[in-house]
Amino acid sequence: MVLSALLNFLFPPPPSLVVSALSVVSLVSLTNTGFSEMRGKHLNYSKFWNATKADYSKQIKLSSRAGMLMLYTPAFLAGAASFFIFPNDGLRSTLLNSAVTFHFLKRILEVLFVHKYSGFMYLDSAIPITLSYFVSAATMTYCQHLTVTEGLPEPQIDLMYPGVAVFLIGIIGNFYHHCILSKLRGEGEKEYKIPKGGLFGLVICPHYLFEITVFYGISMISQTVYALCFAVGTTFYLVGRSYATRKWYVSKFEDFPKNVKAVIPFIF
């Protein structure tokens, strides 16, 4: 019953074993990574770049800025290439391709001009995230192309335009809170501080909350099974990452406000 109701909002899955497999892999792998974050097994970037005690003496270490550029650039290129590889696929595909491309372009520009970095990232942590973003961008645009070429029937309930609104809310909210984070440190400062302003008074990771919103907006524009699987998987991953981040702040700052949740205001 739940599945039949859900299908009112989605295109039928395309007859592609690769896409079906990637949908499952994306959901399972991202969800598992989120639970790993909660258990203290972190991907080594941002606050957790040196969190594990494994021997990384032979691993390639990247600056945080270089690592972050590595994460987002292939996904941006995949989104940009979709306009040339899948031209004339209609309005929904154009909006989806634009949303994917703009999201990753925004992240690249933030890495270059907004964020301030002090840590590092190991290559073995950067590679799976880079692949996840690249595969997701390429597969989402390809799935949208298949809805056209396979002549799949449009979902009974059209979420495309509401999806654009949700996407824009997510993009603006994410950028706003990234700007707040970037202003926490003065020139030459490397110490972390408790963020204040915006939704930071309610949750420690509002930027993750709005990034989750971005991917649900993309999912609503797309209305494909893969886009929904990626959005749900991303939710689990970023919720887990937010939980670990809040735990880190509590351990580092004795005056961390107890009413500030991880990512969902008043709840979690």
Side-chain angles (χ1 to χ4, degrees), residues 16 21 59:
S16 169
Q59 280 286 343

Side-chain angles (χ1 to χ4, degrees), residues 180-239:
I180 291 177
L181 286 174
S182 73
K183 294 176 182 178
L184 285 178
R185 302 179 189 174
E187 190 67 31
E189 291 183 339
K190 295 185 178 182
E191 289 296 318
Y192 281 95
K193 301 177 183 179
I194 300 175
K196 296 180 180 179
L199 293 185
F200 281 109
L202 298 176
V203 294
I204 196 60
C205 293
H207 49 304
Y208 286 166
L209 173 62
F210 283 104
E211 186 166 354
I212 291 169
T213 304
V214 164
F215 282 110
Y216 277 107
I218 289 175
S219 175
M220 292 167 67
I221 295 170
S222 175
Q223 293 189 248
T224 61
V225 173
Y226 178 83
L228 178 60
C229 286
F230 187 80
V232 173
T234 298
T235 300
F236 279 106
Y237 167 61
L238 290 179
V239 166

